[in-house]
Amino acid sequence: MNTTALMNTYGQRPLTLEKGAGCFVWDTDGKQYLDALAGIAVCGLGHCHPTLVSAITKQAETLIHTSNLYNLPVQQKAAEDICRVSGMEKVFFTNSGAEANEAAIKIARKYGNDKGVIVPTIITTANSFHGRTMATLTATGNSKIKQGFAPLLEGFEHVPYNDIEAISAHSNNPDIVAVMVEPVQGEGGIQIPDSDYLNKLRELCDNNDWLLILDEIQTGNARTGRHFAYQANNILPDVLTTAKGLANGMPIGACLTRAKTNDVLQPGNHGSTYGGNPVACAVVSSVIDVIETTKLCAQVNSIADYFAKGFEAALANKTQVKAYRQKGMMIGIELNEPCPELVGLAAKKGLLMNVTAGSVIRLLPPLIMTEAQADQVIEIVSSLIE
């Protein structure tokens, strides 16, 4: 397909996809692909889920946009639904995950400024990914994607991931106002911290009057077997961001607050013309309803366990595999050498996946995937590795 009118920010895109249903998509030649990437952890309920299609159609026939100058019942319901399932109290709706993280960064900075901190500084981690806007790019712990965009913003300190002592070393730094981390690093290669990492972060932030900001853009919305990953640790963040699977493909993100962060932003401090769009909000409520009524988190844990056992057997004798990492339906298979060519080879076999961090096969399947479909993924991926 001729795409010369588009900026070349995504490189070569050999596939032209036309339609999708469930865990499958089809290209313009009619070839079927099993989607093990789900729009990069977006389509957790699969493609064109009938409940979501109905919600989109019904709302589009009713009201598409008015701006945030007016109250919108569908937006209020989405806010109440996401606060209920997250344990948070207030929400600001955005159009993307990066914008949700921008809002979180602004909250942290204003929180610091309100306390008289001259240079409010946020601790983030190496190999993290928080977005591609200027603030989220600066927060991201990946020097490669920052090249060419200097000067970046001040007010960020990077430390190793899963290293509490490295963060604790900043306890005497009066400029620190927040710690911002992903419960699992997705773009960083499915890096999974110690099981008590978030608990220790919560305690450290409490002891220093820092905000704990959890970036659950990729891990949220049942992806790890809980509605949000931090719920496995029985804690609450001060600020939570999410997007991707929040509306299963409709563009929306959310920045949630509780307690001392609820009122940091006041009228005039922040806004968004499209944020909280009625159609996207209708889908948010529908996604949450489907997750709850179908007991999807239990299904995720079951199929994740099936994937783990299947890959354990399939990869047991493959010397090319350096490490296998999995949290729910986030799977990373790190090889001993870069393997970007496997993406194209997988597509030829009818499987969509990607490679991140150079040498990590990343699988983010739809949460509704069956065991038979999981077997297909395992067979194709293991054969590619061999």
Side-chain angles (χ1 to χ4, degrees), residues 339-352:
C339 55
E341 70 279 4
L342 294 188
V343 174
L345 293 174
K348 289 181 179 179
K349 289 178 174 286
L351 179 71
L352 300 187

Side-chain angles (χ1 to χ4, degrees), residues 64-65 72 74-75 93 95 250-252 274-282:
I64 293 178
H65 176 74
L72 298 167
V74 68
Q75 185 187 79
F93 284 119
N95 307 292
M250 289 298 294
I252 192 168
Y274 288 115
N277 171 270
V279 180
C281 282

Side-chain angles (χ1 to χ4, degrees), residues 189-361:
I190 315 298
Q191 302 296 333
I192 303 168
D194 295 338
S195 60
D196 62 349
Y197 180 59
L198 296 185
N199 300 89
K200 290 181 176 179
L201 281 178
R202 179 70 276 175
E203 181 180 5
L204 188 59
C205 287
D206 287 340
N207 291 341
N208 289 280
D209 195 26
W210 298 338
L211 300 181
L212 176 59
I213 303 171
L214 293 184
D215 176 346
E216 293 230 25
I217 305 301
Q218 192 163 138
T219 56
N221 310 294
R223 175 61 50 182
T224 67
R226 301 286 185 116
H227 210 106
F228 292 99
Y230 64 82
Q231 292 170 331
N233 296 78
N234 294 313
I235 64 163
L236 283 171
D238 298 299
V239 181
L240 166 69
T241 61
T242 191
K244 289 193 180 289
L246 182 60
N248 212 69
M250 289 298 294
I252 192 168
C255 177
L256 295 102
T257 60
R258 70 176 184 93
K260 61 185 177 184
T261 56
N262 281 340
D263 300 318
V264 172
L265 296 181
Q266 292 293 307
N269 290 153
H270 199 45
S272 171
T273 298
Y274 288 115
N277 171 270
V279 180
C281 282
V283 183
V284 168
S285 292
S286 291
V287 167
I288 291 173
D289 183 61
V290 171
I291 289 173
E292 292 186 312
T293 58
T294 64
K295 296 180 171 54
L296 186 63
C297 287
Q299 182 178 334
V300 168
N301 288 317
S302 176
I303 194 67
D305 184 59
Y306 188 84
F307 262 113
K309 291 176 180 177
F311 271 122
E312 181 182 5
L315 303 178
N317 299 314
K318 289 184 169 47
T319 58
Q320 304 96 323
V321 176
K322 182 177 180 180
Y324 179 84
R325 297 184 289 271
Q326 181 180 350
K327 185 74 170 179
M329 291 289 266
M330 299 178 72
I331 300 169
I333 306 170
E334 185 174 359
L335 304 188
N336 290 319
E337 59 185 285
C339 55
E341 70 279 4
L342 294 188
V343 174
L345 293 174
K348 289 181 179 179
K349 289 178 174 286
L351 179 71
L352 300 187
M353 63 172 213
N354 82 337
V355 169
T356 190
S359 58
V360 180
I361 296 171

Side-chain angles (χ1 to χ4, degrees), residues 105 107-125 154-159 164 166-181 201 204-213 260:
I105 290 167
I107 288 170
R109 288 193 167 197
K110 191 166 185 298
Y111 173 79
N113 276 301
D114 289 347
K115 294 200 305 178
V117 179
I118 303 302
V119 185
T121 299
I122 301 171
I123 294 174
T124 63
T125 62
E154 64 177 347
F156 292 92
E157 288 282 346
H158 294 88
V159 300
I164 291 294
I167 298 176
S168 182
H170 288 272
S171 293
N172 294 322
N173 184 343
D175 291 335
I176 302 299
V177 296
V179 177
M180 183 176 189
V181 300
L201 281 178
L204 188 59
C205 287
D206 287 340
N207 291 341
N208 289 280
D209 195 26
W210 298 338
L211 300 181
L212 176 59
I213 303 171
K260 61 185 177 184

